[in-house]
Amino acid sequence: MTDIKTLQKLLHCLDEYMKRTGKREIDEMEANIELARVGLLNDEAPHPGRPLREILMRLRDSNHLPENIRQIYGQWKIRISSTIAKAPMFFQFQCD
């Protein structure tokens, strides 16, 4: 199981990558390529993105998946962490 410090390191690296490239969201294959480039997580040539997918599936199954990561139709999407609200917004719309 991936511990919290390792996960935070991976997400920080991906945030820096998205800030540098001007992207707000990437998929698991692009994320795993970047993590392999910096030496944090190896990638598999025959199955690109598989190591990261396995980590994300374990986090999803244990209900520890961060808010900025979601799975849509079998593809994982990772958003930059700065797009996540830091506190819940109550009473966003007020009625008179």
Side-chain angles (χ1 to χ4, degrees):
M1 183 66 169
T2 304
D3 65 340
I4 299 299
K5 288 185 180 185
T6 305
L7 179 63
Q8 288 175 344
K9 186 185 289 187
L10 295 176
L11 291 177
H12 178 71
C13 175
L14 294 176
D15 282 347
E16 292 300 316
Y17 168 73
M18 286 186 269
K19 287 176 187 176
R20 191 173 61 248
T21 59
K23 297 181 179 184
R24 295 179 57 95
E25 184 176 83
I26 57 175
D27 64 5
E28 78 275 6
M29 287 190 290
E30 184 176 357
N32 209 147
I33 289 170
E34 176 60 19
L35 293 172
R37 186 185 70 77
V38 296
L40 292 176
L41 184 66
N42 293 329
D43 200 6
E44 293 182 3
H47 304 284
R50 181 187 226 169
L52 184 59
R53 275 194 300 274
E54 289 175 352
I55 291 171
L56 296 176
M57 284 187 287
R58 285 195 305 266
L59 290 170
R60 179 199 60 202
D61 293 345
S62 65
N63 203 22
H64 289 100
L65 196 63
E67 291 180 17
N68 63 320
I69 301 174
R70 65 189 190 286
Q71 187 177 21
I72 301 174
Y73 303 115
Q75 186 177 26
W76 290 94
K77 296 291 186 176
I78 303 167
R79 287 183 289 168
I80 194 164
S81 297
S82 62
T83 61
I84 304 300
K86 299 298 180 196
M89 295 174 57
F90 294 106
F91 307 114
Q92 182 177 6
F93 302 103
Q94 296 179 352
C95 297
D96 291 328

